[in-house]
Amino acid sequence: MFQLRLCLLLFLSSIVSLQAQQPKTYNSSEIYEAVQKLNVLGSVLYIAAHPDDENTRLISYMSNQVKARTAYLSLTRGDGGQNLIGPEIRELLGVIRTQELLGARRVDGGEQRFSRANDFGYSKHPDETLEIWNEDEVLADVVWAIRKFKPDVIINRFDHRRAGQTHGHHTASAILSLKAFDITNDASKYPSQLTLTETWQPKRLFYNTSWWRYGSQEAFDKLDKSNMLSFDIGTYYSSKGKSNNEIAALASSQHLSQGFGRLSQRGSQDEYIEFLKGESLNSSDNIFEGIDTSWNRVAGGKVIGDILKKIETNFNFKNPASHLPQLLEAYKLLQIIKDEHWKTIKTKELKTIIEACAGLYLEVSANTPNAAPNADVTLNMEVVNRSTANIDLVSYNLSTLSTGISKKMTLASNHKLNFEEGITIPSHSNYTTPYWLNTKSTLGMYTVKDQSLIGLPETPRTVFVDFNLLIEGTPINFTKPVIYRYSKPDKGELYRPFEIIPIVSASLSDEVYIFENDQQKEIEVSVKAGKDNIDGFVQMAYPKGWQVVPEKQNIKISNKGDIQKVMFTVIPPKNQSEGLITPMVNIEGEFYTDEIMEIDYAHIPFQTVLMPSESKVVRLNIKTEGTNIGYIEGAGDVVPESLRQIGYHVTIIKPAQISPENLDDFDAIVVGIRAYNIVEDLIFKQRFLLDYVKEGGNLIIQYNTNRGIKVDNLAPFDMQVSRDRVTDENALVTILDPNHPILNFPNKIGAQDFDGWVQERGLYFPDKWSKEFTPLLAFNDIGENSKEGALLVAKYGKGNYIYTGLSFFREFPAGVPGAYRLFANLLSAGKQEYNPPKN
C-alpha cells in the first residue's frame, strides 16, 4: 500500500510538472480567479532558509483565499542537503531544488525569490551561519528582495529567539528578516540598490508559529494568543475542486529530492502567526488591517477598479471573451498610472487574462533543443485566435533581430496560422546555465556581480519573440520564450527549454581518480560537439609532479551532438599527492574547458548546467583486502563508483535479490545512506543480512535518519540512532581504540586521515548502544560534549557488524584520501584476527 501511495504521488507531481512546462492555458474558473486576484493590491513575503522550509499551506491560503501577491524568499537553494532521487549533490542539487521550489509555486500560486547564500550544510548556531554566509551580503539580499517585491506584510517561518536550539540557518533567516524590516526604508543602507529600485517599508512582521515550537499541542493551547492571528487554512475551493490543504500537499510534494512526497489532507485546520513588529493590530483576523488593498491605493486606480469589479461581479463563465472590451479599457487606463510598481505587476496579470479570454495560443518552438552561438535555428510559430474577437497580428519581433517582421494579418476565429523564421544565435550570447554558478563560489556565498540578477530563481531567457497584436483596436504585445516541442511514442507531447550551449564541451568519466600506487592509469575524455564540423585538439592541464601523455589528441566530429572519446595516460608521482586535471579543447585557437551537465527528472523541467570540467586526481598510499563487495542502494550517492576506483569489484544488490545464497560470496556488504529510511523491502530482508554477519560476513551500514527507520532491529544488538552530528569538518578527532584492527589493517589510520574533510564529520550518530559495540572515534563541535557514535563495531557470530555516520558520501566525491583509506579498512574487517594488547 505504501508503494502504491508513493507511486500515486510521483504520478500526480509529474503530471503537474509536465503540464507546467508547456504553454499555460486557462479555463473559465481559472480566468475568474485571476480576475479576483487582479482586484487585490496586497502582498505577502514569506521568509525562511531552505527549499522545503516554506509552509505551503499558508502560502496557498494567502495566494488563493486572500488573493494576495505572495512570494517565498528562500535564502539558500538547498545545496547542502541530501538527494533521495539521484546522485547529484552540492551545486547540481541546488539546481534541482530550485526547480522543485518553482514547481511548488506553480501549484500553490506563489512566486519564488532567493539570496546569494550558499547552503553549506547543517549549522548549530546562527553566529556560525552568519559568519560563513557573510552577514552583510545576505542582509543586503533580503533588503533587495523587500525593496523589489514591496510586501505589505512579512512572515518569518522561524523564531529569531531560538539561537542554538535549532538549525542555525533557520534562526539566521529570522534574524536577518528582523534587521531588514528596520532598514529597508533607509536610503543610507545599501544605496547602490536604489539605482534599480527604491526604499520600502513593510507594515507588519509576523512569525508563523505552531504547537511544535512549544513542544506539544497542550503547551500551545495554554499560551496567551492575544498577540496572534489565526486562519482556518483548510478552506475548500469549489472552483478548484480541492481544499487549500490538498493544494498545499501537492505543492510540498514537488520536493521529491528531499523526500517530501506526502498524502493530501482535508478539513478545517488553524494556522497561527505571531505579531512581531510594525503597525499594531486592533482585530484578530485581518493581516492587512489598515492597508488599502483595493485599486484605490494607486492614484488613478479607482476607475480601473470599478471596471474590473464589474467584470468580477458579472463574470461570464460561458463566454469570458465577452469581457474583452472592458478588460482592454482597463488595460489602456493602467498604462497611464504613475505607480510603476503596481503598473508593472498588474499589467502582466491583466495581459494574461486578456490572452486567456481571447483564447489566444502563441507558441514559438525551435527545430532543435539547443544551439551554439553563430548557429542557425529555425523557429516555428503557431498563432491561433480561439474567440470571435477582432484580433490582428501586426508584427513580431525576434530577440535576435534589430527590426521587427511586419505581418498585418487578421486572425480569423479558430484559424491556425503557422510561420517559420530562420535566426542566427548572436555570437555574444551567454550560455544557458544557472547564473549563480557562473563564478566560483565561497563556502558560504555565491558570487553574482549583476545586481539585477540577484534573487531571481532562474537565468532570464535571451531568445524570445514579441507578438504585436491589435485586439479590438487596442495595441498589445505578448512575449513568448523559444521552447523545444517534441513527442515520444510512450509519452506523447513533451516540452523542454531551448538552450544556448558552447560549440564544444568536454567531460571526464569520473569525478575523482584514485591512484592506490604509482602505476599509470588510462583516463577517458569525452568531447561533445555543440555544432557540426568540429575540428581541433584536446590537451590536459594537470598538477605539478604528475605526467600526462600524449601531449594532445586530435578530434574531428562531423555532426552536432556526436561524441568523440580520446584516451590520455596519467602517471602519478611516487609519493602521496593530489590536484586537479582539466581537459582543454582547442577549436580554432580558442580553448573550451566546460562540461555540459544535464539534469532530467520527470517532475522538473530539463536543466542544462555548465560547469568547469575538472576531476581530482589523488595519489595515496592505500592497501586493500578482499575483492567482491555487494552494495545495497539507499538514497543517491557515489560510493559504489568510489570503491571501484580503489580496485574493488562492486555488485549492486537489488532488495529482491537479498537472500542467503546471493550474499555468501561477498567479502563485504555495504548498505547505502538512508536505505533503512526509504527501502521498504528491508523490513523483510534484514534477517538475511544479519544472518550473513553471523556466518562470518562483514556488513557496513551507512547513516540513517532517526525518524522513519523501517526495521525494528537495525543492528543485532541494542543501538539507538539519534540526531547527533558534528558539523565542523575540521573538528579534532580522538581515536578511542588505537589498537583496534579496523584502525590498523590494512592501513594505519591516524588523525591525519581526517584532514581535508568537507562540509561535516558526520551525522545521525547513535547515542546509545549495548556493550557489544566498540566505539572507535570521538569528536565534537565547539561547546558540545564529545560524540562517540560515528563509528561503531560489533562482533556478531563469526562476522562484523559496522555502523557509521561518517559522511563518506560527501568525502568520496571530494577525493579525501583518508576517507578512502578508512573505508578500505572497514571493508577488510575480519581479514586479520584481533589480538587486543594485554594490560
Side-chain angles (χ1 to χ4, degrees):
M1 181 60 72
F2 172 84
Q3 289 177 325
L4 178 60
R5 291 171 181 167
L6 181 59
C7 289
L8 180 59
L9 280 171
L10 289 170
F11 172 76
L12 288 173
S13 62
S14 297
I15 291 295
V16 168
S17 178
L18 288 174
Q19 289 176 341
Q21 294 177 52
Q22 64 189 38
K24 170 69 176 173
T25 57
Y26 295 80
N27 60 39
S28 292
S29 292
E30 290 169 327
I31 297 172
Y32 174 67
E33 290 171 355
V35 172
Q36 289 181 305
K37 195 156 189 172
L38 184 63
N39 282 327
V40 176
L41 280 70
S43 52
V44 178
L45 182 63
Y46 197 87
I47 298 179
H50 311 107
D52 72 43
D53 281 346
E54 84 275 32
N55 183 344
T56 55
R57 299 184 303 274
L58 192 52
I59 290 175
S60 177
Y61 181 86
M62 289 297 163
S63 179
N64 294 296
Q65 176 66 17
V66 180
K67 304 298 183 184
R69 182 179 180 230
T70 308
Y72 173 42
L73 172 59
S74 175
L75 296 192
T76 77
R77 296 176 186 265
D79 327 69
Q82 288 89 50
N83 184 0
L84 286 182
I85 61 174
E88 297 88 355
I89 58 174
R90 294 302 312 155
E91 295 91 349
L92 296 182
L93 179 57
V95 173
I96 291 172
R97 291 194 171 174
T98 294
Q99 291 301 319
E100 290 178 336
L101 272 175
L102 288 171
R105 299 294 78 78
R106 285 191 290 268
V107 174
D108 62 31
E111 301 176 30
Q112 187 61 50
R113 298 290 188 275
F114 293 95
S115 83
R116 290 170 292 174
N118 193 342
D119 180 3
F120 57 85
Y122 192 87
S123 176
K124 293 183 176 179
H125 200 281
D127 289 349
E128 176 200 43
T129 298
L130 294 172
E131 181 179 354
I132 293 175
W133 271 357
N134 187 325
E135 179 178 355
D136 186 66
E137 289 187 2
V138 183
L139 178 58
D141 290 355
V142 178
V143 170
W144 171 251
I146 294 171
R147 286 173 173 175
K148 289 289 288 181
F149 189 75
K150 292 181 171 51
D152 298 307
V153 173
I154 295 174
I155 303 175
N156 291 345
R157 177 56 163 161
F158 298 108
D159 191 345
H160 62 285
R161 298 158 293 200
R162 300 197 68 201
Q165 300 177 55
T166 184
H167 198 322
H169 296 184
H170 293 170
T171 312
S173 71
I175 291 171
L176 291 171
S177 176
L178 262 75
K179 289 184 177 182
F181 185 89
D182 291 337
I183 64 174
T184 53
N185 204 31
D186 185 346
S188 69
K189 304 297 184 183
Y190 310 110
S192 62
Q193 295 180 1
L194 301 179
T195 61
L196 298 172
T197 188
E198 57 193 3
T199 59
W200 179 255
Q201 183 56 58
K203 293 295 190 295
R204 297 186 182 95
L205 175 65
F206 296 91
Y207 157 52
N208 184 195
T209 189
S210 182
W211 66 264
W212 46 260
R213 162 64 177 84
Y214 298 92
S216 68
Q217 184 66 53
E218 182 181 6
F220 185 67
D221 290 341
K222 294 178 181 178
L223 283 178
D224 176 6
K225 300 183 179 62
S226 59
N227 202 35
M228 297 181 187
L229 297 185
S230 64
F231 314 97
D232 182 356
I233 47 84
T235 184
Y236 175 70
Y237 305 124
S238 59
S239 62
K240 299 177 184 292
K242 289 183 175 65
S243 69
N244 187 76
N245 278 345
E246 288 176 293
I247 293 170
L250 284 171
S252 64
S253 290
Q254 298 302 302
H255 297 297
L256 296 182
S257 68
Q258 186 73 342
F260 264 46
R262 63 186 179 92
L263 294 174
S264 299
Q265 293 181 336
R266 283 157 290 276
S268 179
Q269 182 179 350
D270 288 333
E271 191 76 44
Y272 292 87
I273 56 174
E274 176 188 351
F275 175 77
L276 297 178
K277 278 190 175 185
E279 295 182 5
S280 59
L281 289 157
N282 296 315
S283 67
S284 60
D285 60 355
N286 184 7
I287 194 172
F288 290 109
E289 181 185 290
I291 303 170
D292 190 348
T293 61
S294 74
W295 276 97
N296 293 330
R297 81 179 293 172
V298 298
K302 183 179 184 305
V303 63
I304 300 172
D306 289 343
I307 294 171
L308 296 175
K309 198 64 181 177
K310 288 179 181 178
I311 295 174
E312 180 181 342
T313 303
N314 303 292
F315 189 76
N316 187 339
F317 285 89
K318 290 186 177 181
N319 183 23
S322 66
H323 298 297
L324 279 173
Q326 299 98 317
L327 289 168
L328 291 166
E329 181 64 22
Y331 173 79
K332 287 185 286 187
L333 291 169
L334 181 55
Q335 302 319 298
I336 60 176
I337 71 169
K338 294 181 179 179
D339 189 319
E340 289 297 326
H341 174 70
W342 284 112
K343 176 181 175 180
T344 299
I345 293 167
K346 293 303 179 181
T347 293
K348 181 180 178 181
E349 291 181 20
L350 185 49
K351 285 171 65 174
T352 298
I353 293 170
I354 291 170
E355 182 181 3
C357 285
L360 275 171
Y361 190 86
L362 305 169
E363 179 184 280
V364 187
S365 178
N367 65 330
T368 177
N370 52 55
N374 294 316
D376 294 329
V377 177
T378 300
L379 301 183
N380 297 291
M381 284 169 274
E382 181 178 331
V383 181
V384 189
N385 167 22
R386 293 176 288 186
S387 72
T388 58
N390 296 317
I391 303 177
D392 294 331
L393 173 61
V394 178
S395 63
Y396 46 73
N397 297 74
L398 282 64
S399 59
T400 57
L401 300 178
S402 58
T403 58
I405 297 172
S406 178
K407 285 298 175 183
K408 297 181 180 178
M409 301 176 67
T410 296
L411 302 182
S413 178
N414 210 28
H415 179 68
K416 182 177 71 171
L417 295 178
N418 289 103
F419 306 98
E420 185 176 285
E421 296 289 348
I423 65 170
T424 300
I425 303 299
S427 59
H428 59 273
S429 297
N430 293 325
Y431 302 133
T432 304
T433 191
Y435 68 86
W436 61 94
L437 300 179
N438 283 336
T439 305
K440 190 173 180 63
S441 64
T442 65
L443 173 63
M445 296 294 295
Y446 282 115
T447 301
V448 182
K449 297 179 180 179
D450 186 344
Q451 181 68 47
S452 66
L453 290 176
I454 292 174
L456 297 181
E458 298 180 285
T459 304
R461 298 287 165 172
T462 58
V463 185
F464 54 86
V465 174
D466 287 324
F467 291 92
N468 304 306
L469 306 178
L470 275 177
I471 303 179
E472 298 292 352
T474 301
I476 187 168
N477 78 295
F478 299 95
T479 300
K480 299 297 177 181
V482 174
I483 50 87
Y484 176 63
R485 181 167 66 112
Y486 63 108
S487 66
K488 288 186 176 181
D490 59 336
K491 294 183 179 180
E493 186 177 60
L494 298 171
Y495 289 80
R496 56 180 278 188
F498 172 77
E499 296 170 319
I500 301 174
I501 61 173
I503 64 171
V504 70
S505 59
S507 61
L508 295 156
S509 55
D510 292 290
E511 289 186 67
V512 178
Y513 295 92
I514 302 296
F515 293 77
E516 66 272 24
N517 51 45
D518 60 3
Q519 298 300 303
Q520 65 189 35
K521 285 189 176 183
E522 300 295 308
I523 289 182
E524 181 181 84
V525 178
S526 297
V527 180
K528 186 174 184 178
K531 69 169 190 174
D532 293 340
N533 301 317
I534 291 295
D535 193 348
F537 64 86
V538 187
Q539 64 186 63
M540 301 288 284
Y542 52 90
K544 185 178 179 180
W546 294 68
Q547 298 179 60
V548 176
V549 292
E551 181 181 347
K552 64 181 182 180
Q553 295 271 32
N554 292 326
I555 57 166
K556 192 175 184 68
I557 308 175
S558 299
N559 299 314
K560 173 189 171 184
D562 283 352
I563 295 174
Q564 182 177 341
K565 297 183 178 182
V566 294
M567 303 295 293
F568 288 90
T569 300
V570 178
I571 305 169
K574 296 290 183 183
N575 299 315
Q576 187 155 311
S577 172
E578 57 187 90
L580 297 174
I581 57 171
T582 297
M584 304 187 301
V585 185
N586 188 296
I587 306 296
E588 297 180 351
E590 184 174 352
F591 280 105
Y592 296 84
T593 59
D594 287 333
E595 173 183 4
I596 293 177
M597 299 181 177
E598 297 178 341
I599 301 175
D600 189 7
Y601 290 102
H603 71 298
I604 62 173
F606 187 95
Q607 297 293 299
T608 295
V609 183
L610 207 60
M611 297 282 286
S613 180
E614 58 185 24
S615 293
K616 192 171 185 180
V617 288
V618 181
R619 164 70 173 96
L620 59 79
N621 297 315
I622 187 171
K623 297 177 182 177
T624 61
E625 289 288 329
T627 302
N628 295 317
I629 307 299
Y631 197 89
I632 299 169
E633 294 177 305
D637 64 51
V638 295
V639 172
E641 294 87 339
S642 301
L643 298 182
R644 293 182 183 114
Q645 283 277 350
I646 54 176
Y648 286 103
H649 176 74
V650 181
T651 300
I652 302 299
I653 304 173
K654 299 297 182 183
Q657 298 171 329
I658 299 174
S659 63
E661 56 272 19
N662 288 337
L663 302 180
D664 287 346
D665 293 335
F666 292 111
D667 294 298
I669 292 173
V670 182
V671 182
I673 61 174
R674 297 179 71 170
Y676 287 95
N677 298 129
I678 66 171
V679 181
E680 197 81 12
D681 285 354
L682 287 178
I683 296 173
F684 314 105
K685 301 293 185 175
Q686 177 71 345
R687 62 189 179 95
F688 297 132
L689 293 174
L690 296 182
D691 286 346
Y692 163 79
V693 179
K694 194 172 185 180
E695 295 302 317
N698 183 20
L699 180 65
I700 301 160
I701 309 293
Q702 297 179 87
Y703 94 93
N704 292 268
T705 62
N706 64 339
R707 288 182 295 181
I709 293 178
K710 297 187 179 301
V711 297
D712 295 328
N713 55 337
L714 183 61
F717 309 109
D718 289 341
M719 182 184 73
Q720 178 178 295
V721 176
S722 73
R723 296 185 64 84
D724 285 353
R725 62 201 303 162
V726 175
T727 62
D728 182 358
E729 63 269 34
N730 299 309
L732 181 66
V733 177
T734 300
I735 295 179
L736 299 175
D737 189 351
N739 295 310
H740 196 284
I742 280 184
L743 299 176
N744 289 275
F745 179 81
N747 305 287
K748 176 65 176 177
I749 301 299
Q752 72 280 357
D753 287 295
F754 294 89
D755 293 342
W757 282 50
V758 298
Q759 187 160 325
E760 61 201 349
R761 289 298 190 197
L763 61 171
Y764 292 99
F765 303 155
D767 61 350
K768 295 179 181 178
W769 53 84
S770 67
K771 61 181 178 58
E772 287 83 1
F773 284 102
T774 300
L776 299 183
L777 305 171
F779 26 59
N780 58 274
D781 286 318
I782 295 174
E784 295 189 357
N785 295 329
S786 179
K787 305 290 190 297
E788 299 184 355
L791 182 56
L792 301 176
V793 183
K795 195 76 177 176
Y796 178 57
K798 302 175 185 177
N800 294 276
Y801 176 96
I802 300 171
Y803 187 93
T804 178
L806 294 170
S807 59
F808 289 106
F809 73 104
R810 295 198 187 280
E811 312 316 317
F812 287 163
V816 178
Y820 283 90
R821 286 165 43 84
L822 176 55
F823 210 91
N825 282 22
L826 301 185
L827 296 173
S828 304
K831 304 294 183 184
Q832 182 188 60
E833 195 65 34
Y834 178 30
N835 296 308
K838 297 179 181 179
N839 294 327

